[in-house]
Amino acid sequence: MAHNINNNLSELLLAARRSTGSAPRPRLEPGPIDTAPVVRLVNGLIEAALLQDASDIHIEPGPVTGRVRYRVNGCLELVAEAIPMALYGHIISRLK
């Protein structure tokens, strides 16, 4: 099950990367906000955290890329790495 969750998150991350390019820009696609790639990525991260009984979600910035880790049974587990910093602001904005 964890393998399927990670594959799904990888697909969502790839779609979000494609939608934002290298620099942040406003979302131009029409339709409901829930279809935006970053929204689907954040929803997927939260859903995966719930399925893995995570108590925390850590979204950590880096100089070039960021990463996401879940705290499960007191241990931090890497979920996604190499998240472009161009996406970081969009992810944080969605969560706040």
Side-chain angles (χ1 to χ4, degrees), residues 40-95:
R40 290 193 330 257
L41 172 64
V42 171
N43 290 348
L45 288 170
I46 293 169
E47 183 179 339
L50 290 170
L51 290 172
Q52 293 183 25
D53 291 328
S55 60
D56 302 348
I57 301 173
H58 293 250
I59 301 172
E60 304 165 345
V64 177
T65 62
R67 66 181 179 176
V68 177
R69 298 190 297 167
Y70 296 156
R71 184 176 307 278
V72 179
N73 296 324
C75 298
L76 284 173
E77 297 179 4
L78 183 63
V79 175
E81 58 185 350
I83 296 174
M85 290 309 292
L87 286 177
Y88 185 80
H90 295 289
I91 292 169
I92 296 304
S93 201
R94 177 67 182 163
L95 290 169

Side-chain angles (χ1 to χ4, degrees), residues 23-44:
R25 62 180 185 212
R27 185 174 65 85
L28 301 175
E29 62 191 25
I33 194 164
D34 289 342
T35 62
V38 170
V39 173
R40 290 193 330 257
L41 172 64
V42 171
N43 290 348

Side-chain angles (χ1 to χ4, degrees), residues 1-9 48 51-52 77 79:
M1 181 165 97
H3 180 66
N4 289 339
I5 292 169
N6 289 338
N7 284 341
N8 189 29
L9 289 176
L51 290 172
Q52 293 183 25
E77 297 179 4
V79 175

